[in-house]
Amino acid sequence: MAMDLRNPDPSYVDFWRGYHMCTLTTPRPDGSPHVVAVGVTYDPEGGEKGIARVITNKNSRKVANVLAAGPEGARVAVCQVDKGRWATLEGRATIRTEPEAVADAVARYAERYGRTPTPNPDRVVIEIALTRAMGRA
């Protein structure tokens, strides 16, 4: 079921605030999907239509896949499932390296997942400018 990105249902937003592991799907340079487990935060107020964020190491395959897509970023999806509930966010991912963007993403992660990640000088943010939301929350 499609969701309105500008006015998501409160139950959908609440589902994205609970403790759920997620998957991130990025395109490899050959076009095949690379799917990996991640923590995701969802900011429905961010950007034009909302932003999802994934913190990760700058040397990860997912970062390489996003960078390989070029300056426009990669088309990606993040998804979470809990029994019969599910939610997917799609959008255009870019890599953020600015210390303030990384600190903000870490704080959002700590709020959602109840723990602050250990410091990592190689941490970056995969920031996803959202274009579509779907789910049954």
Side-chain angles (χ1 to χ4, degrees):
M1 171 175 20
M3 297 284 163
D4 179 357
L5 282 169
R6 295 181 190 275
N7 188 24
D9 187 272
S11 65
Y12 190 78
V13 175
D14 285 345
F15 186 44
W16 278 104
R17 290 194 174 127
Y19 189 107
H20 303 286
M21 291 309 297
C22 305
T23 60
L24 168 68
T25 303
T26 59
R28 292 185 182 102
D30 69 3
S32 64
H34 175 259
V35 184
V36 63
V38 294
V40 176
T41 61
Y42 170 41
D43 176 9
E45 306 293 323
E48 188 175 312
K49 296 181 181 178
I51 295 173
R53 294 174 179 87
V54 175
I55 56 175
T56 189
N57 190 293
K58 69 180 180 181
N59 298 311
S60 69
R61 168 51 44 201
K62 53 193 165 287
V63 168
N65 289 342
V66 171
L67 292 173
E72 296 294 315
R75 294 183 66 191
V76 304
V78 290
C79 183
Q80 63 183 16
V81 177
D82 180 39
K83 298 179 184 166
R85 299 184 307 161
W86 62 276
T88 299
L89 298 168
E90 297 178 6
R92 185 76 57 180
T94 55
I95 305 303
R96 301 283 307 271
T97 60
E98 307 88 346
E100 56 279 355
V102 173
D104 177 60
V106 167
R108 290 171 187 274
Y109 178 97
E111 182 177 336
R112 180 174 190 195
Y113 291 102
R115 70 173 191 82
T116 301
T118 57
N120 178 354
D122 292 332
R123 182 171 287 130
V124 298
V125 180
I126 299 174
E127 188 173 276
I128 306 163
L130 301 177
T131 58
R132 180 179 296 161
M134 301 172 285
R136 180 168 301 162

